[in-house]
């Protein structure tokens, strides 16, 4: 069976030399009539072969009763026949050597079990033969430069997209079509558009990868509902990242369960939106919350060019109004952007141009900048030369709609672009379409609306700050974990300690004498815990005692602990009592992993103890992570100041906590076939240089595979 790499074999979808249309119709309101109409209307230069059982002429072109009657093998097939006929059409395409097929027909997995079986058969044909199949139940594909059209989208009824650097991929046909239409209205040039529908073969990862390797695409816009293959999606994102192409993702389906992923129990993270968010962020994608931002960010990136987007988060705001400056400062801060005070020499230069300006940041240039281009140009030049800012926002409410003011602004901006060809300057302004086009051609993205402008700039700077040289994750051999490791807290901590997790000294005592010997070897204070494979929550049966400080107290509490457990859990099997060093002080974190069904093990860290449930302050990453990533996870927590010496507290041993996260993430990957979930609560992080300790641990095994019934 041919092995198809992610995104490979798909050029025939966008630049085929010939196209066959199964179910071609004279009726341009039918899905078999519209692709044929569009191909002729917009001047596709390749061969067009309508296939219709009646043959004859279809929309003035010679039609063929079957694919075998077509004189040449088409590179692309568009299939728009009833679902019962789709499988035979796909088989005919594979037999004749067609490279790709787009199935517009509906009536498959979205219709139930019978449709799912038929769809699976189509997918089997694709995998067995190497034919790339898009759909079924999709809105198809468009290759804009070649005017290749395999869609019935209403977005093409009035006009054809302008060729440009932005590629659009979507699982939803309507979302993809709507995005294409909005792109046209905004003057955004498009390279390719692909909607994947039910994804029996080509999926969203293939779509992303195909644009990552397309020379005509520089920015990728993606509307995503779900993911069917986590490894493929990760590879596709890596391809876009390595190609230097921003991937902007609108991920829909943000559930309440996902947004409230319980920090106290990593099991709640499975299939959640939090997992998608972490995977997209880790893959270098820019996630946006709306179609409007998808277009704004994509357009801005196409105007600026990905190579000219800086990292950092410092922005200078310039306005002709103090009120607008305050609004922009608030909106920028809400997006995580900082407004540093401008350098003294910058402020002096601003005041030398307009003595009554407010020169700090935001810069209130006053209405004087509207009088002469050189005044505005000098203001912009002064701030553009200030190294304390990574980007600039220039705001204007009405200038571009007033001819006199428009000319002043255009002249000043033209001069600034000559002096600062790579400086990121975003315009927060309303402007007529022709003026926007002029500004875009000069390299200035234009965004209407204060919140939208700041959100767009923040997204660009997140892309600029990505680690383009991120090292590939290490290859970790998967090995099974012995069943005994899952039995108790003690057995779990033993295997975790072997993997590099910091665990306090402890020993299992089968009797009072062994407990006393362990205490003498470790020293006081100590903690006693019941060890039983039948007791998951030890505190509920009185199976924990904290603060044993003498040998006499040890013997007394040992007996009482066993008595309490015997009374509250008389049927539980007792393997002994765990005698452990007592760790005092420090900051409590929760650390854990959960094996996501699509993306594999995810590692999570957050504020521990009872605060985990209250504050839901967690950081999540696909496993494994390295020390830099683990440190970044800790620094992203709202609770990080507790680790970083807030209000005179001693700094915690953050490097030790990071090493613990790394060790756990690698353990989770190594034993992913055996372990479903790991909970360490708490991980106590002591003062700087004193380490961290996993005080409690739980390993949850993978459930056994259910045998399929014959």
């Amino acid at each position: 069976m041919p092995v198809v790499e992610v995104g490979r074999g798909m050029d025939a979808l966008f630049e085929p030399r010939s196209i066959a249309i199964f179910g071609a119709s004279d009726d341009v309101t039918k899905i078999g009539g519209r692709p044929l109409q569009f191909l002729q209307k917009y001047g596709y230069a390749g061969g067009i072969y309508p296939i219709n059982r009646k043959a004859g002429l279809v929309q003035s072109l010679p039609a063929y009763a079957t694919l075998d009657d077509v004189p040449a093998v088409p590179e692309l097939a568009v299939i728009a026949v009833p679902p019962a006929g789709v499988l035979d059409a796909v088989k005919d395409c594979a037999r004749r050597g067609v490279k790709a097929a787009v199935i517009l027909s509906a009536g498959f997995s979205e219709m139930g079990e019978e449709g799912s079986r038929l769809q699976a058969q189509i997918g089997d044909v694709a995998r067995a033969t190497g034919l790339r199949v898009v759909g079924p139940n999709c809105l198809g594909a468009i290759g804009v430069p070649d005017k290749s059209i395999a869609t019935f989208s209403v977005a093409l009824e009035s006009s054809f997209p302008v060729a440009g650097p932005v590629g659009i991929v979507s699982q939803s046909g309507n979302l993809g079509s709507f995005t294409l239409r909005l792109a046209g209205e905004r003057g955004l040039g498009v390279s390719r558009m692909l909607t994947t529908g039910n994804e029996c073969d080509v999926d969203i990862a293939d779509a992303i990868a195909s644009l990552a390797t397309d020379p005509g695409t520089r920015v990728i816009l993606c509307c995503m509902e779900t993911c069917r293959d986590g490894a493929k999606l990760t590879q596709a994102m890596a391809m876009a990242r390595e190609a230097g192409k921003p991937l902007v993702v609108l991920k829909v389906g943000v559930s309440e369960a996902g947004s409230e992923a319980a920090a106290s129990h990593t099991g709640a993270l499975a299939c959640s939106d939090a997992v998608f968010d972490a995977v997209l962020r880790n893959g270098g994608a820019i996630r946006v919350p709306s179609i409007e931002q998808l277009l704004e960010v994509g357009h801005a990136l196409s105007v600026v060019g990905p190579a000219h987007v800086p990292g950092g988060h410092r922005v200078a705001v310039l306005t002709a109004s103090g009120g607008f400056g305050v609004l922009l400062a608030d909106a920028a801060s809400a997006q995580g952007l900082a407004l540093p005070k401008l350098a003294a020499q910058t402020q002096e230069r601003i005041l030398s141009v307009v003595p009554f300006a407010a020169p700090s940041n935001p810069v209130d240039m006053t209405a004087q900048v509207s009088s002469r281009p050189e005044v505005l140009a000098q203001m912009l030049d002064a701030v553009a030369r200030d190294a304390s800012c990574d980007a600039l926002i220039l705001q204007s409410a009405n200038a571009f709609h007033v001819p006199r003011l428009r000319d002043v602004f255009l002249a000043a901006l033209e001069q600034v672009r000559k002096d600062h060809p790579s400086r990121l300057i975003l315009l927060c302004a309303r402007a007529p379409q022709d003026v926007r086009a002029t500004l875009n051609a000069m390299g200035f993205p234009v965004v209407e609306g204060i919140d939208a402008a700041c959100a767009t700039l923040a997204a660009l700077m997140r892309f600029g700050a990505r680690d383009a040289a991120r090292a590939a994750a290490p290859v970790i051999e998967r090995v099974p974990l012995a069943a005994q490791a899952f039995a108790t807290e003690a057995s779990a901590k033993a295997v975790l300690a072997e993997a590099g997790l910091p665990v306090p000294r402890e020993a299992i005592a089968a009797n009072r004498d062994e407990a006393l010997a362990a205490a003498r070897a470790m020293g006081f204070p100590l903690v006693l815990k019941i060890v039983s494979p039948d007791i998951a929550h030890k505190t509920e049966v009185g199976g924990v005692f904290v603060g044993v400080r003498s040998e006499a107290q040890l013997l007394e509490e040992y007996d009482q602990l066993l008595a309490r457990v015997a009374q509250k859990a008389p049927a539980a099997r007792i393997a002994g009592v765990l005698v452990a060093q007592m760790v005092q002080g420090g900051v409590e974190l929760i650390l854990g992993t959960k094996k996501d069904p699509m993306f594999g093990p995810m590692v999570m860290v957050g504020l521990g103890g009872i605060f985990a449930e209250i504050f839901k302050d967690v950081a999540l990453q696909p496993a494994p992570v390295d020390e830099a990533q683990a440190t970044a996870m800790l620094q992203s927590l709202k609770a990080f100041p507790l680790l970083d010496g807030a209000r005179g507290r001693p700094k915690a041993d953050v490097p030790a906590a990071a090493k613990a996260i790394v060790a756990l993430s690698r353990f989770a990957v190594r034993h992913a076939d055996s372990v479903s979930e790991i909970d360490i609560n708490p991980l106590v992080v002591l003062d700087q240089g004193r380490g961290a300790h996993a005080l409690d641990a739980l390993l949850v095994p993978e459930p056994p595979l259910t045998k399929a019934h014959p």
Side-chain angles (χ1 to χ4, degrees):
M1 181 181 296
V3 176
V4 180
E5 297 179 34
V6 59
R8 298 301 183 230
M10 294 179 60
D11 283 346
L13 291 165
F14 306 106
E15 46 189 44
R17 287 176 292 183
S18 54
I19 302 174
I21 303 173
F22 287 77
S25 173
D26 275 317
D27 187 345
V28 297
T29 66
K30 293 184 176 180
I31 65 170
R34 284 156 75 173
L36 183 54
Q37 178 198 31
F38 293 153
L39 286 166
Q40 295 187 89
K41 177 180 179 179
Y42 294 115
Y44 171 67
I48 305 174
Y49 305 113
I51 298 177
N52 185 293
R53 288 179 301 173
K54 298 178 181 179
L57 292 177
V58 176
Q59 294 189 38
S60 75
L61 292 177
Y64 304 88
T66 69
L67 182 61
D68 287 334
D69 297 328
V70 175
V73 178
E75 291 191 342
L76 174 64
V78 179
I79 300 175
V81 300
V86 170
L87 180 59
D88 286 339
V90 169
K91 288 180 177 178
D92 287 345
C93 289
R95 178 174 50 80
R96 284 217 66 189
V98 175
K99 294 181 179 180
V102 174
I103 304 174
L104 304 179
S105 312
F108 295 89
S109 62
E110 77 278 8
M111 298 300 291
E113 187 175 343
E114 185 176 346
S116 294
R117 282 198 299 269
L118 182 55
Q119 179 175 307
Q121 290 178 287
I122 296 168
D124 289 342
V125 172
R127 284 181 287 277
T129 63
L131 172 71
R132 298 316 309 259
V133 177
V134 178
N137 186 31
C138 72
L139 206 61
I142 304 172
V144 177
D146 291 83
K147 295 184 171 63
S148 167
I149 301 168
T151 181
F152 60 98
S153 171
V154 295
L156 299 188
E157 290 200 359
S158 58
S159 63
F160 191 72
V162 175
V166 175
I168 299 171
V169 295
S170 175
Q171 289 172 313
S172 163
N174 280 332
L175 273 179
S177 179
F178 186 55
T179 303
L180 180 69
R181 183 170 184 173
L182 288 179
E185 291 176 358
R186 293 170 183 238
L188 185 56
V190 175
S191 57
R192 296 175 171 183
M193 189 275 281
L194 176 65
T195 66
T196 56
N198 290 6
E199 298 187 345
C200 76
D201 173 40
V202 171
D203 64 7
I204 197 69
D206 287 309
I208 293 169
S210 70
L211 295 182
T213 57
D214 171 38
T217 299
R218 296 202 307 271
V219 179
I220 304 169
L221 306 186
C222 174
C223 300
M224 184 185 299
E225 296 175 354
T226 188
C227 170
R228 290 177 171 82
D229 190 323
K232 280 182 67 177
L233 179 60
T234 299
Q235 183 182 349
M237 290 192 294
M239 292 171 67
R241 187 187 191 105
E242 290 164 7
K245 299 182 181 182
L247 171 62
V248 190
V249 178
L250 170 61
K251 168 64 176 67
V252 300
V254 182
S255 67
E256 181 179 353
S259 63
E260 294 181 357
S264 61
H265 192 255
T266 50
L269 295 171
C271 299
S272 72
D273 187 68
V275 170
F276 266 106
D277 198 60
V279 169
L280 292 172
R281 182 177 62 251
N282 193 61
I286 306 168
R287 187 174 181 182
V288 294
S290 66
I291 290 181
E292 290 75 17
Q293 278 199 32
L294 183 74
L295 269 297
E296 293 287 15
V297 173
H299 197 180
L301 284 164
S302 71
V303 168
V304 175
H308 293 153
V309 178
H313 66 291
R314 305 169 303 168
V315 59
V317 171
L318 297 93
T319 75
S321 161
F324 275 115
V326 173
L327 287 172
L328 276 161
D330 289 344
S333 298
Q335 291 291 333
L337 300 174
L339 277 75
K341 187 176 181 179
L342 297 179
Q345 58 267 36
T346 303
Q347 296 192 46
E348 290 172 5
R349 187 174 171 199
I350 289 171
L351 292 173
S352 71
V353 178
V354 179
F356 35 87
S360 181
N361 192 13
V363 179
D364 180 1
M365 303 180 294
T366 78
Q368 292 298 310
V369 296
S370 302
S371 60
R372 301 191 311 277
E374 63 271 18
V375 174
L376 177 56
Q378 289 178 55
M379 286 284 193
L380 286 168
D381 182 71
V383 179
R385 293 183 185 279
D386 195 319
S388 65
C389 297
D390 303 302
L392 285 68
I393 297 179
L394 172 62
Q395 183 273 337
S396 175
N398 298 303
F400 295 107
H401 283 275
V402 178
R404 177 181 59 81
L405 300 180
R406 178 192 62 206
D407 293 343
V408 169
F409 271 70
L410 288 176
L413 288 167
E414 184 177 13
Q415 181 61 49
V416 169
R417 182 51 75 216
K418 288 180 181 177
D419 295 337
H420 304 276
S422 300
R423 198 69 153 117
L424 175 54
I425 303 175
L426 184 142
L427 305 184
C428 174
R430 295 172 59 250
Q433 185 59 43
D434 61 332
V435 177
R436 287 173 64 101
T438 299
L439 292 167
N440 292 162
M442 293 164 62
F444 298 108
V446 183
V447 181
E448 184 175 338
I450 288 172
D451 291 334
C454 292
T456 300
L457 183 60
L460 263 62
M461 297 179 82
R462 286 197 301 273
F463 172 78
R466 78 203 188 287
D467 181 8
R470 177 175 295 172
V475 177
I476 298 176
E477 181 183 2
R478 292 197 176 190
V479 296
L481 189 62
Q484 177 59 30
F486 300 94
T488 66
E489 172 196 342
S491 61
K493 286 161 76 175
V495 294
L496 290 170
E498 289 179 6
L501 268 292
V503 175
R505 288 185 62 189
E506 57 187 35
I508 298 176
N511 52 54
R512 299 169 93 239
D513 290 340
E514 289 184 8
L516 192 59
R520 288 171 176 168
M522 295 178 197
F524 296 95
L526 297 169
V527 177
L528 303 182
K529 299 182 183 181
I530 196 69
V531 180
S532 169
D534 303 319
I535 300 174
H537 303 288
K538 297 178 283 294
T539 56
E540 294 180 4
V541 297
V544 178
F545 186 85
V546 178
V548 177
R549 299 185 181 277
S550 68
E551 292 186 6
Q553 187 184 17
L554 171 72
L555 298 176
E556 178 183 355
E557 296 299 343
Y558 182 94
D559 293 338
Q560 290 187 8
L561 183 145
L562 288 174
R564 287 193 301 271
V565 173
Q567 181 182 8
K568 295 185 178 181
R573 294 167 292 169
I574 306 301
V577 174
L578 189 68
V579 181
Q581 285 181 319
M582 180 176 164
V583 178
Q584 302 180 78
V587 177
E588 290 190 0
L589 300 179
I590 180 172
L591 178 59
T593 71
K594 173 65 184 179
K595 185 178 176 183
D596 183 82
M598 194 58 62
F599 297 106
M602 307 292 295
V603 61
M604 181 273 290
V605 65
L607 191 62
I610 63 171
F611 301 108
E613 295 182 11
I614 297 172
F615 296 113
K616 296 180 174 61
D617 182 19
V618 298
L620 189 69
Q621 276 278 24
V625 297
D626 57 28
E627 285 193 35
Q629 290 171 307
T631 302
M633 290 175 71
L634 292 166
Q635 291 172 338
S636 73
L637 297 174
K638 297 184 184 73
F640 182 70
L642 295 177
L643 298 168
D644 199 38
R647 292 186 176 272
R649 296 168 59 97
K651 286 182 178 290
D653 201 334
V654 172
K659 286 183 171 63
I661 296 170
V662 171
L664 184 68
S665 75
R666 293 183 175 180
F667 178 89
V669 173
R670 185 175 299 111
H671 301 297
D673 295 333
S674 305
V675 180
S676 170
E677 181 180 343
I678 308 170
D679 281 311
I680 296 175
N681 190 10
L683 176 77
V684 173
V685 187
L686 299 177
D687 294 349
Q688 199 168 47
R690 295 184 58 205
H693 298 279
L695 302 191
D696 199 354
L698 172 68
L699 298 181
V700 179
E702 270 286 283
L705 293 175
T706 303
K707 292 184 179 179
H709 295 289

